[in-house]
Structures are given as structure tokens and as C-alpha cells.
């Protein structure tokens, strides 16, 4: 009998029960034989790549059994069981029972050591690695060893979190509850201090509702099976430790289930929690302090402190709660809380602000000197009519009164001075050209992801120019290093690398193929032939701007494979925008003599020409002896081809690209290569290789609207995407050419981006265009209205971005934008205003006042005439007054 073969056959057949019986009867010699073979076998299997790893994970119970039974040391067994590919058996409880059956012959001390080592290896699962159907990997076996050996349960948070996970899953599968759980007494005190328990407890509430762990704990406390004081005190301690709302929420739920009596409430702790607690905890504290006040347990000082803490919170519901609490409190006691009304004078809700003023007037006779001084100081920020009322009751503060801040501005700090004009952002300067073979090697190794177009262009130009000077020296420098910047591939060898080069379409890979063509032209020709076959690069999925870039790189590869060279590439940028100076292009073509340039490189060079070139370049171009020279002269003479017309329609659809459909009308007799770069096919929706978008502004630096069309057209939704398109938008703004609806849509989506970095890029683009006098404000207003009405961007983010633009000098552009955007956003007769419209109108007030404009906004006068004291009506009246005065 071959023990290793017998074990392996049972593992691969998935016969785990039979394997456990076989291992239990195996002698020491047989176990040693298996222990010798097992690690090497697993390592060899894992070299098979991802599919092999998946197969190993499916057979994990057998591999775990074999290792637990055959390895000699507890440390070796723990390391084996904690291997990434083995730590998640399909049924953790069944796996633990099997492993315990093969460990019966081990000594108690050995099993105790294993339990402690496994406990040290427990790790809470987070993010994408967590699965909600198997709890915490390794916990069941650890718990079984703890129970079997009688040791004290481990102290780590992970063990407690694993216990909670196992309870959740058992309840889901109807396998029992807390009552009678052997770990209950030792785990309950740790429940309130361990990290990682909130997730499973919250999941348990969703899965098991009224039969949840928290509900059962409350029942056991009522029955005296769990100390009620321990639960109440544990919750109070967890509240004081603070933390994110989701970490506190389960204990808020348990507190409500326990419903402590007033004399059990930690009144002082709840008061001290109010300024910083998460909203759910702050709401609980507010409710419990109300109960304490009803029971006479909240003295005047604590009452004043609690009201003040609520009034200073950012959430309006707590500010309103402070005002209401103060209003229903008898005057003498309420007088101690008058100071809490001072911050309410600064809120941007007119009705709440006016209510606070009325309450302050009522409590004026009961306010002490400190409260009176705070009210007088805050009154300076009130509108004139309310300020006069407060001054009549409290007097005025000495010194000049500051000008009131706009109600729509933040109340946390004074606004900075408004910039007179917007400032244009700057692009990084170009790095110097590569001048030596060693520099090419270093530059290839230093290429980073996502792709940096200028770094790639620099490498490409260096390869071409140095190959023309001394191909042998360049090949010698590249030969030991050309492949080293590629990703590590399992089982890497020549065939694997060639397969990678054939099927991967990134610019880094194409640059590597350029190096391969210099080092080994024959091998490069085979890779090129394979890439040209169906299934190679998947060219049909490429977006138009990228097709030209790929053709340009591939023609360099073909050039090197033929053993030829050119003095320089025509399209290597001379400006950070991607432009090529006309004089430099003519000079590069003169160096070719009577030779024609590489076709795609010449086409790219034409697209990178500035809009306006001097007559000297045209004069020199007309003397070029080639067909390409005549084409260049014609291009310079006409200033390039006329721009296509781009229009957009928004349709009732559920997707970004379904709603936003561009129509590109090309000029007559457009060359085929330009049509390939400019026109979008109906199938162009998803960006299959997101880093491509970083190249587009550099591929067409003089055609901003065409680039913006591609940025907006592709999925996913631009305002939600986590790719390079917003950085591309910031670069695009520095280019040349018309900007219209496509650019406006890209900026509008960016101003509502979900990430701060995305909004910052859009703000940079808007500021750059505004500084140049090129921001399409009316188109931007149209785009904002369309996106907001179709709920493609959130109004709150748009308002914040427009407010920032206003304060950085683009107030005139913001006003012209809002003048177009507001009419379709204002509610019609009988309609409710959309949420956040008041804040947007407040930005309009600020922009209009700074721009000194007078205008008429359709529907604004009717809205301003409505009765009410809401923020939206208050700001509508202010805007109407500002632009009508």
C-alpha cells in the first residue's frame, strides 16, 4: 500500500469521511510519508494558475484533514490550516468535527498549543473577501479545540467576532440560540469592546428580525440568565468609546430592547455624548435625556449643556430639537439655555432662525450676562429686521457691526475673499528627451499604471531615435531588460510572455513589443502575426481615438521588425497639451528628405498641430518634395479640417448612454482616417480599457469637443466612474478648438462627481476655461438642467461645486450658467420644489450680486410671491430682489 497515493486519491475524489477514517488508522510511518509529499504536491498544483487554485479550494476539506493528521508539530499544522487556499472549507462545522476526529490521538498540551496558534491566526473578513455564508474562517475548529481542552477562550477580538458570526449562521439555519451556549458567559462582557462584531449583528437583524441575537439577549436578561447590569453597562461603555454609526447601531438597538429604567440611565454620559456622537446615538441620548428630565434627574446645568450641544451640531434636526426643547421648558430654567440660541441665528433655514429669535426675545428677562453677550454677538449676523428686534431686548455689542453673511454660506467659518478673476491651472512640463540607451531601459522600467501618456511618448521617441543612431547598441542595452516591467505571470516563460504580448492591448505592452522587435525581430514577427488574428487585440472594442494610437505603435513595431529606422517620429509632442509645434513638424519632415513618413505617425502629427500657425512654417512646408509635404502645406493653409457639428439629445431611458445620445455631423469629404478618429459608432458604449481615456486629449489637443463627446458617451456614468476620464477633462481644457454641449456635459457631470478628486478635476477644467473666456456657460446651464431633471447627478454636489467656482472668481460665468439652468428647475404652479433648490438659489444670489447683473428669470417672480418661510422661498425672494434692483 502507498499511503500517499491512497490519501491523494481520496482527496481528489472528495471522499472526506472515508479519508478521515483512513487517516485515523494510518500508522506513524504512513503519516510521515504523507507529510513529506503533501506540501510539494500542493505547490505544484497551484502553479496551474487561477483554475487550479479554484479546484484546490473545492478540495480544501481533504487537504486540511491530511495536514492535520500527518504533520507533527502544532505550529506546522496551524500554518497549513491557515493557508489562503485552504482556510475556507465548504462547511466549517463539519470540517471541524472531522479534524477533531483525527486529532484525538494528540496530547492535551499539543492540542492546547494548536488552539492558541489557530486563535492567533483568526482574521475578521472585510470588503470583497468577506462572504456572509461561512462566518469567520478557522473559528469553528478553534472553538472546538477550546472546548475540548478546557482552556480559557482567547482574548482577541477576532475570536469574539467569530462567535457572533457562528451564532448568526446557526440562527439562520435554525440550529439553536444563545440559551445554553457554552461560551455565553465569557463572551458577553467582550461583546461590547471587540471590534468586528457590528457587521454580523447588523446582518442578524436583517436576516432574523425579531428573533435576533440582540432580542434574545434582552429576553435572557429579563429571565435573569444574563446579568442585566452587564448589558446596560456594556452598552453605555460602548457609547462612550464612540465610533462610526454602523459600529454603534447594534448597541443602540440593544439599549432600546433593554429599555432601562430612568434610574439606570447614565445621564452625565449622555449629555457629554451629544456634541460628537453619531446621529443614531445622538438621537438615543436626546430621547433618554428627555426621560431623565421627566424623572427629575436632569439638573439645570446639565440641561443647559445638553441644549447647547444640540444647537451646535451640524444636523438641522438636532438644532430644531434644541429650539423645541428650550421652548417647552419653563422660563426660569429655560433662561439658562438662552446661550444655545446664538448658533441658531446663523442657520440657513429662515423659519428656524426666526423662531430662535422669538424664543430669545421671550427668554430675555431670564438670560444672564454671558448669555446676553453671546446673543448680541450672534445678532450681528441676522438680517436687519431681526437684528433690530434682538437689539431692542439685549442691546448691541460695542464696535461696528459686521456685514451679514449670506444665509446660504457655511456657518462654520468666515468666507475667504472672492477672487477677482479665475486662475488657470497649469500642466506639468515635459521631461527632456531620452538621449542614451541606458535611459530607455530605465524609462521602460519606470512606466507606471495607469498609463502616463507623456512618459510613454518619451519612451517611444527614444526607441525610434536611438535605433536610427545605433540599433546594435540599443538592442544590446535592451536585451537583458526589455521584459522586466511586465506583470508577473504564473509559470512565466517565453510562451507565456508571447501569449501576454499577443492578447494584452495596453500601450505599455505595445512599447514592450517595440523593444522586442529590436532585440529579437523573428520572435516579434510571430507575436505580431498572432496579434493580427481574430481574438488577438479585440480591435472592434477599441474607441476611435485609440485606434490611431495603436496603428502608430504597430507601424513602429513593423518598422523595427523589417530592420529599418527613421530619424524621428513626427508626432512626438512639443507641448504638455500634446501639441506639436508646426515649425518642429516641418523640421522633422525635412530630415526625411524624399522619404514618406510613417502614415499613422503623420496623421497623428496633423491632429496635434495648433489651430494657428505662422506663415514661416507654411512657406517651408510648401518646399517639401513629398506627398505628405503637400498634404501638410494644404493643412496649414486651411487651418486643418472644419470641425464636425456635435449635438446631444436626452431620451427617457434608464441608462447614462441610453439617455445621452450624440449626433456628430462631419464636414463634407472627410478623409477616412479622420472619420475613424472623430466619429462614434452606435456600439461604442463601454470603455473596455479605461486607461485609454487619458490619451484622448493628447491625441486630439485641437479638437476639444470631439474628445469631450467620447468622454461623455462611454459607460459607466461619468459622475460615478472611478477612472481617468475626469483627469482627461482637466487636460482637455488646456487644449484648443470649440467647446460646446459635449464639454458642458462633461463638466456638469464632473461638478456632481461622487469623489472629491473628480469634482476637483472638473472645477479645474471650468476655472481654466473661465480664465480664458472660453467656458460655455449657456451650454453648461443647459447640461446641468438636463442632468438634474433626469436625476443623473445630485443637486447637493452641483450646488457645492458652483459655490466654489463663484468664490474663486468665476461668478459671472456661474451666473450665466444659472440663468439658463434655473427656469426648468423651478417648480411650476402646484409643484413642490426639488430638494436642495434653496441652496442652489443661494449660490445664484451670491453670483448675481458679485457679477452686478440685472436679469429676469422665468418663473422666479411667481415663486418669490408664494407665501411661506422655507429656505427655498426665502432665497427665491432674495434672488428676485438682487437681479431686479
Amino acid at each position: 500500500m502507498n499511503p500517499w497515493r491512497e490519501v491523494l486519491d481520496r482527496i481528489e475524489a472528495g471522499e472526506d469521511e472515508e479519508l478521515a477514517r483512513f487517516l485515523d488508522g494510518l500508522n506513524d510511518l504512513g503519516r510521515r510519508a504523507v507529510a513529506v509529499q503533501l506540501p510539494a504536491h500542493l505547490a505544484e498544483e497551484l502553479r496551474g494558475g487561477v483554475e487550479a487554485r479554484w479546484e484546490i479550494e473545492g478540495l480544501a476539506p481533504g487537504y486540511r484533514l491530511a495536514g492535520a493528521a500527518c504533520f507533527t508539530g502544532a505550529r506546522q499544522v496551524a500554518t497549513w490550516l491557515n493557508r489562503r487556499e485552504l482556510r475556507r472549507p465548504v462547511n466549517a462545522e463539519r470540517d471541524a468535527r472531522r479534524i477533531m476526529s483525527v486529532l484525538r490521538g494528540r496530547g492535551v498540551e499539543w492540542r492546547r498549543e494548536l488552539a492558541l496558534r489557530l486563535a492567533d491566526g483568526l482574521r475578521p473578513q472585510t470588503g470583497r473577501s468577506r462572504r456572509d455564508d461561512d462566518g469567520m474562517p478557522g473559528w469553528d475548529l478553534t472553538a472546538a479545540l477550546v472546548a475540548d481542552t478546557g482552556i480559557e477562550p482567547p482574548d482577541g477580538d477576532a475570536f469574539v467576532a467569530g462567535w457572533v458570526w457562528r451564532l448568526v449562521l446557526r440562527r439562520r439555519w435554525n440550529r439553536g440560540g444563545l440559551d445554553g451556549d457554552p461560551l455565553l458567559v465569557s463572551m458577553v462582557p467582550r461583546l461590547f469592546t471587540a471590534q468586528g462584531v457590528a457587521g454580523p449583528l447588523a446582518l442578524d437583524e436583517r436576516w432574523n428580525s425579531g428573533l435576533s441575537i440582540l432580542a434574545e439577549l434582552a429576553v435572557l436578561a429579563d429571565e435573569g440568565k444574563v446579568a442585566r447590569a452587564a448589558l446596560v453597562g456594556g452598552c453605555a461603555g460602548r457609547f462612550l468609546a464612540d465610533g462610526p454609526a454602523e459600529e454603534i447601531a447594534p448597541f443602540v438597538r440593544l439599549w432600546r430592547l433593554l429599555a432601562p429604567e430612568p434610574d439606570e440611565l447614565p445621564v452625565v454620559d449622555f449629555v457629554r455624548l451629544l456634541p460628537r456622537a453619531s446621529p443614531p446615538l445622538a438621537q438615543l441620548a436626546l430621547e433618554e435625556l428627555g426621560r431623565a428630565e421627566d424623572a427629575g434627574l436632569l439638573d439645570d446645568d446639565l440641561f443647559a449643556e445638553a441644549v447647547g450641544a444640540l444647537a451646535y451640531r451640524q444636523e438641522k434636526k438636532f438644532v430644531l430639537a434644541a429650539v423645541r426643547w428650550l421652548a417647552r421648558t419653563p422660563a426660569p430654567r429655560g433662561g439658562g439655555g438662552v446661550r444655545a440660541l446664538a448658533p441658531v441665528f446663523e442657520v440657513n433655514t429662515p423659519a428656524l432662525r426666526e423662531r430662535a429669535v422669538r424664543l430669545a426675545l421671550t427668554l430675555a428677562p431670564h438670560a444672564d450676562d454671558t448669555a446676553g453677550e453671546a446673543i448680541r454677538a450672534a445678532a450681528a449676523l441676522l438680517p436687519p429686521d431681526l437684528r433690530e428686534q434682538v437689539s431692542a431686548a439685549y442691546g448691541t455689542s460695542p464696535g461696528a457691526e459686521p456685514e451679514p453673511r449670506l444665509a446660504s454660506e457655511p456657518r462654520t467659518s468666515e468666507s475667504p475673499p472672492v477672487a477677482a478673476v479665475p486662475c488657470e491651472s497649469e500642466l506639468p512640463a515635459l521631461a527632456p528627451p531620452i538621449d542614451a540607451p541606458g535611459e530607455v531601459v530605465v524609462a521602460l522600467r519606470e512606466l507606471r499604471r495607469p498609463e502616463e501618456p507623456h512618459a510613454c511618448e518619451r519612451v517611444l521617441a527614444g526607441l525610434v531615435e536611438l535605433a536610427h543612431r545605433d540599433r546594435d547598441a540599443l538592442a544590446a542595452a535592451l536585451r537583458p531588460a526589455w521584459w522586466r516591467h511586465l506583470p508577473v505571470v504564473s509559470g512565466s516563460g517565453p510562451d507565456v510572455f508571447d501569449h501576454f504580448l499577443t492578447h494584452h492591448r495596453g500601450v505599455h505592452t505595445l512599447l514592450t513589443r517595440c523593444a522586442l522587435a529590436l532585440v529579437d525581430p523573428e520572435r516579434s514577427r510571430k507575436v505580431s502575426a498572432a496579434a493580427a488574428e481574430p481574438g488577438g487585440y479585440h480591435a472592434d472594442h477599441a474607441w476611435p481615438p485609440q485606434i490611431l494610437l495603436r496603428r502608430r505603435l504597430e507601424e513602429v513595431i513593423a518598422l523595427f521588425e523589417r530592420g529599418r529606422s527613421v530619424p524621428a517620429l513626427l508626432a512626438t509632442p512639443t507641448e504638455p497639451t500634446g501639441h506639436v509645434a508646426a515649425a518642429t513638424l516641418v523640421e522633422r519632415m525635412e530630415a526625411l528628405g524624399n522619404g514618406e513618413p510613417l502614415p499613422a505617425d503623420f496623421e497623428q502629427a496633423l491632429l496635434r498641430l495648433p489651430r494657428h500657425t505662422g506663415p514661416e512654417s507654411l512657406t517651408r512646408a510648401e518646399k517639401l518634395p513629398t506627398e505628405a509635404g503637400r498634404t501638410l502645406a494644404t493643412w496649414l493653409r486651411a487651418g486643418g479640417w472644419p470641425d464636425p457639428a456635435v449635438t446631444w439629445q436626452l431620451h427617457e431611458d434608464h441608462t447614462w448612454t441610453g439617455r445621452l445620445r450624440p449626433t456628430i455631423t462631419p464636414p463634407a469629404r472627410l478623409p477616412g482616417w479622420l472619420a475613424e478618429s472623430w466619429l462614434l459608432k452606435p456600439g461604442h458604449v463601454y470603455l473596455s480599457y479605461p486607461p485609454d481615456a487619458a490619451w484622448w486629449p493628447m491625441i486630439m489637443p485641437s479638437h476639444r469637443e470631439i474628445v469631450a463627446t467620447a468622454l461623455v458617451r462611454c459607460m459607466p456614468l461619468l459622475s460615478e466612474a472611478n477612472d481617468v476620464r475626469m483627469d482627461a477633462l482637466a487636460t482637455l481644457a488646456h487644449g484648443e478648438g470649440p467647446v460646446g454641449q459635449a464639454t458642458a456635459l462633461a463638466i456638469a457631470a464632473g461638478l456632481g462627481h461622487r469623489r472629491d478628486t473628480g469634482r476637483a478635476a472638473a472645477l479645474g477644467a471650468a476655472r481654466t476655461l473661465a480664465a480664458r473666456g472660453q467656458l460655455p456657460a449657456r451650454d453648461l446651464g443647459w447640461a446641468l438642467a438636463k442632468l438634474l431633471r433626469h436625476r443623473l447627478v445630485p443637486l447637493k454636489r452641483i450646488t457645492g461645486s458652483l459655490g466654489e467656482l463663484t468664490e474663486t472668481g468665476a461668478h459671472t460665468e456661474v451666473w450665466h450658467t444659472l440663468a439658463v439652468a434655473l427656469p426648468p428647475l423651478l417648480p411650476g404652479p402646484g409643484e413642490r420644489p426639488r430638494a436642495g433648490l434653496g441652496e442652489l438659489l443661494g449660490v445664484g444670489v451670491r453670483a448675481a450680486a458679485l457679477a452686478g447683473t440685472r436679469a429676469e428669470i422665468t418663473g422666479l417672480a411667481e415663486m418669490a410671491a408664494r407665501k411661506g418661510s422655507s429656505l427655498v422661498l426665502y432665497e427665491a425672494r432674495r434672488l428676485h430682489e438682487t437681479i431686479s434692483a
Side-chain angles (χ1 to χ4, degrees):
M1 179 188 73
N2 184 334
W4 165 240
R5 190 70 256 173
E6 295 283 343
V7 168
L8 184 59
D9 288 345
R10 287 170 172 81
I11 291 175
E12 293 178 343
E15 299 173 351
D16 300 324
E17 297 294 343
E18 175 59 28
L19 175 62
R21 286 192 289 271
F22 178 81
L23 289 170
D24 198 35
L26 198 62
N27 60 28
D28 292 343
L29 185 61
R31 294 191 181 202
R32 282 196 294 272
V34 173
V36 169
Q37 296 285 344
L38 195 56
H41 165 77
L42 188 61
E44 181 64 28
E45 289 294 308
L46 289 173
R47 291 194 182 98
V50 175
E51 293 185 3
R53 181 179 294 275
W54 290 344
E55 185 176 352
I56 293 297
E57 290 175 352
L59 298 175
Y63 282 107
R64 287 168 60 84
L65 267 173
C70 298
F71 292 132
T72 55
R75 180 177 181 177
Q76 190 179 14
V77 172
T79 301
W80 178 260
L81 295 177
N82 281 328
R83 288 185 64 122
R84 183 176 179 180
E85 61 274 2
L86 301 181
R87 61 185 284 119
R88 285 185 174 276
V90 175
N91 187 315
E93 289 189 280
R94 186 186 305 154
D95 173 79
R97 286 196 297 271
R98 288 197 197 105
I99 292 178
M100 289 298 295
S101 71
V102 301
L103 295 180
R104 286 176 300 190
R106 309 275 192 172
V108 174
E109 289 302 321
W110 188 96
R111 282 177 285 147
R112 286 176 177 169
E113 181 185 352
L114 178 61
L116 294 176
R117 290 187 179 278
L118 290 176
D120 289 340
L122 293 176
R123 297 290 183 272
Q125 301 299 299
T126 59
R128 293 182 181 179
S129 65
R130 198 195 83 199
R131 296 202 316 236
D132 290 339
D133 59 350
D134 61 356
M136 182 177 295
W139 185 88
D140 293 87
L141 179 58
T142 306
L145 286 166
V146 167
D148 180 59
T149 60
I151 64 173
E152 188 71 18
D155 294 331
D157 291 354
F159 189 82
V160 182
W163 175 69
V164 177
W165 269 114
R166 183 50 54 203
L167 288 174
V168 171
L169 296 174
R170 283 176 179 167
R171 298 176 72 82
R172 190 185 189 192
W173 301 328
N174 296 317
R175 295 182 182 174
L178 279 171
D179 197 7
D181 187 294
L183 294 173
L184 177 64
V185 174
S186 58
M187 290 293 104
V188 165
R190 303 180 190 178
L191 186 67
F192 301 99
T193 58
Q195 297 297 316
V197 301
L201 288 174
L203 192 65
D204 183 50
E205 289 290 313
R206 293 199 299 272
W207 281 351
N208 302 317
S209 188
L211 303 176
S212 67
I213 294 171
L214 299 176
E216 190 173 359
L217 277 174
V219 170
L220 292 176
D222 290 340
E223 294 174 351
K225 296 179 180 179
V226 173
R228 177 184 175 83
L231 298 182
V232 173
C235 286
R238 189 65 184 84
F239 295 158
L240 288 173
D242 202 11
E246 60 271 16
E247 294 289 332
I248 299 294
F251 303 102
V252 172
R253 166 70 173 156
L254 178 58
W255 182 277
R256 294 188 185 282
L257 290 170
L258 292 170
E261 296 297 325
D263 58 356
E264 295 180 282
L265 300 178
V267 177
V268 175
D269 290 343
F270 276 139
V271 172
R272 303 291 154 74
L273 280 173
L274 284 176
R276 58 184 174 80
S278 61
L281 180 55
Q283 182 63 39
L284 176 68
L286 175 61
E287 295 170 8
E288 296 299 73
L289 289 173
R291 292 175 57 209
E293 185 179 41
D294 292 341
L297 300 174
L298 188 68
D299 62 35
D300 291 351
D301 291 339
L302 288 175
F303 164 76
E305 184 179 346
V307 172
L310 289 169
Y312 273 99
R313 288 186 66 97
Q314 293 298 311
E315 302 89 351
K316 287 184 180 177
K317 68 175 185 177
F318 291 121
V319 179
L320 179 59
V323 174
R324 287 175 173 170
W325 194 359
L326 199 56
R328 66 173 180 264
T329 302
R333 179 180 171 92
V338 169
R339 186 175 183 178
L341 295 173
V344 188
F345 286 4
E346 302 180 54
V347 298
N348 60 356
T349 305
L352 179 56
R353 189 170 58 237
E354 291 168 7
R355 182 174 181 179
V357 169
R358 291 195 301 270
L359 184 55
L361 297 178
T362 300
L363 296 174
H366 306 280
D368 58 24
D369 293 341
T370 303
E373 182 57 35
I375 293 294
R376 285 191 294 272
L381 302 173
L382 290 170
D385 56 337
L386 296 179
R387 187 165 66 248
E388 291 174 2
Q389 295 178 44
V390 173
S391 297
Y394 287 87
T396 57
S397 295
E401 295 179 355
E403 183 179 348
R405 192 165 63 241
L406 293 179
S408 56
E409 295 179 7
R411 64 178 186 153
T412 55
S413 62
E414 293 298 326
S415 298
V418 178
V421 294
C423 295
E424 180 178 346
S425 59
E426 295 184 1
L427 294 176
L430 295 180
I434 293 175
D435 199 41
E439 290 183 47
V440 173
V441 174
V442 173
L444 267 172
R445 288 177 178 174
E446 291 181 347
L447 291 177
R448 297 289 180 263
R449 300 185 187 278
E451 292 167 2
E452 299 173 357
H454 280 302
C456 295
E457 286 281 1
R458 182 170 178 262
V459 169
L460 181 63
L463 288 168
V464 170
E465 293 174 20
L466 293 172
H468 185 72
R469 294 182 204 170
D470 190 341
R471 178 178 179 132
D472 292 340
L474 178 60
L478 288 169
R479 187 165 286 111
W482 68 270
W483 51 270
R484 290 183 182 175
H485 76 286
L486 285 175
V488 176
V489 181
S490 178
S492 57
D495 293 340
V496 175
F497 278 121
D498 287 355
H499 179 82
F500 181 86
L501 294 173
T502 300
H503 293 278
H504 195 269
R505 56 172 298 267
V507 174
H508 288 184
T509 305
L510 291 170
L511 287 173
T512 303
R513 286 186 53 202
C514 289
L516 175 61
L518 289 166
V519 171
D520 190 344
E522 180 61 31
R523 180 178 173 188
S524 178
R525 283 190 285 271
K526 293 179 181 179
V527 172
S528 296
E533 296 176 356
Y537 274 143
H538 309 292
D540 291 343
H541 296 156
W543 279 65
Q546 213 68 14
I547 295 174
L548 177 60
L549 173 62
R550 187 186 309 160
R551 284 201 296 112
R552 183 166 166 248
L553 284 158
E554 287 174 341
E555 70 185 8
V556 172
I557 295 169
L559 180 78
F560 290 160
E561 289 172 350
R562 296 194 302 270
R564 297 181 55 197
S565 66
V566 292
L569 291 176
L570 303 183
T572 301
T574 59
E575 300 294 333
T577 56
H579 283 106
V580 176
T584 302
L585 176 55
V586 173
E587 181 181 334
R588 291 170 178 172
M589 292 185 68
E590 289 172 342
L592 294 175
N594 293 326
E596 295 288 346
L598 298 173
D601 186 45
F602 178 58
E603 293 164 2
Q604 174 64 94
L606 292 177
L607 280 177
R608 284 178 171 170
L609 282 170
R611 288 262 165 171
H612 304 288
T613 58
E616 298 84 2
S617 299
L618 174 59
T619 301
R620 291 172 61 189
E622 290 174 336
K623 297 177 182 179
L624 292 170
T626 59
E627 181 64 30
R630 288 186 286 275
T631 301
L632 173 60
T634 301
W635 186 285
L636 293 175
R637 194 177 299 115
W641 277 85
D643 292 285
V646 182
T647 57
W648 290 82
Q649 291 180 328
L650 273 78
H651 299 264
E652 294 298 332
D653 201 331
H654 297 293
T655 64
W656 169 258
T657 54
R659 291 179 178 179
L660 291 166
R661 299 175 190 171
T663 300
I664 302 177
T665 306
R669 299 185 300 277
L670 186 69
W673 68 271
L674 263 183
E676 182 183 59
S677 298
W678 282 1
L679 304 183
L680 297 177
K681 299 176 182 178
H684 288 133
V685 175
Y686 286 95
L687 190 58
S688 56
Y689 193 71
D692 285 357
W695 284 88
W696 299 349
M698 282 185 55
I699 292 174
M700 295 184 284
S702 294
H703 299 86
R704 292 181 291 194
E705 189 71 354
I706 299 299
V707 175
T709 301
L711 293 177
V712 175
R713 176 60 178 162
C714 57
M715 287 284 279
L717 178 69
L718 189 56
S719 61
E720 299 293 322
N722 184 25
D723 55 35
V724 300
R725 281 182 288 163
M726 295 314 303
D727 293 330
L729 173 63
T731 303
L732 172 151
H734 292 267
E736 297 179 353
V739 288
Q741 289 185 338
T743 304
L745 279 166
I747 292 174
L751 295 179
H753 203 278
R754 67 188 179 96
R755 294 181 179 271
D756 293 342
T757 52
R759 291 196 297 277
L763 284 167
R767 280 194 292 266
T768 296
L769 292 172
R772 297 178 170 192
Q774 298 173 349
L775 183 67
R778 293 188 62 82
D779 287 330
L780 183 57
W782 164 84
L784 286 174
K786 292 293 186 183
L787 297 183
L788 289 168
R789 285 179 65 84
H790 284 76
R791 302 180 186 277
L792 292 173
V793 291
L795 180 54
K796 182 178 181 180
R797 295 180 197 156
I798 294 294
T799 300
S801 296
L802 291 179
E804 187 170 341
L805 271 180
T806 299
E807 300 303 321
T808 52
H811 40 268
T812 301
E813 290 81 1
V814 170
W815 169 249
H816 291 316
T817 297
L818 289 175
V820 176
L822 283 176
L825 296 177
L826 294 176
E831 294 180 351
R832 292 177 58 86
R834 66 184 66 241
L837 181 59
E839 287 81 359
L840 183 65
L841 290 170
V843 173
V845 173
R846 180 72 166 167
L850 292 172
T853 189
R854 301 292 179 268
E856 183 176 343
I857 302 295
T858 304
L860 182 61
E862 292 78 3
M863 186 174 179
R866 291 187 183 186
K867 295 182 178 181
S869 58
S870 64
L871 175 65
V872 67
L873 295 180
Y874 177 78
E875 297 292 4
R877 295 182 193 118
R878 294 181 65 228
L879 180 57
H880 183 60
E881 293 170 1
T882 301
I883 63 176
S884 302

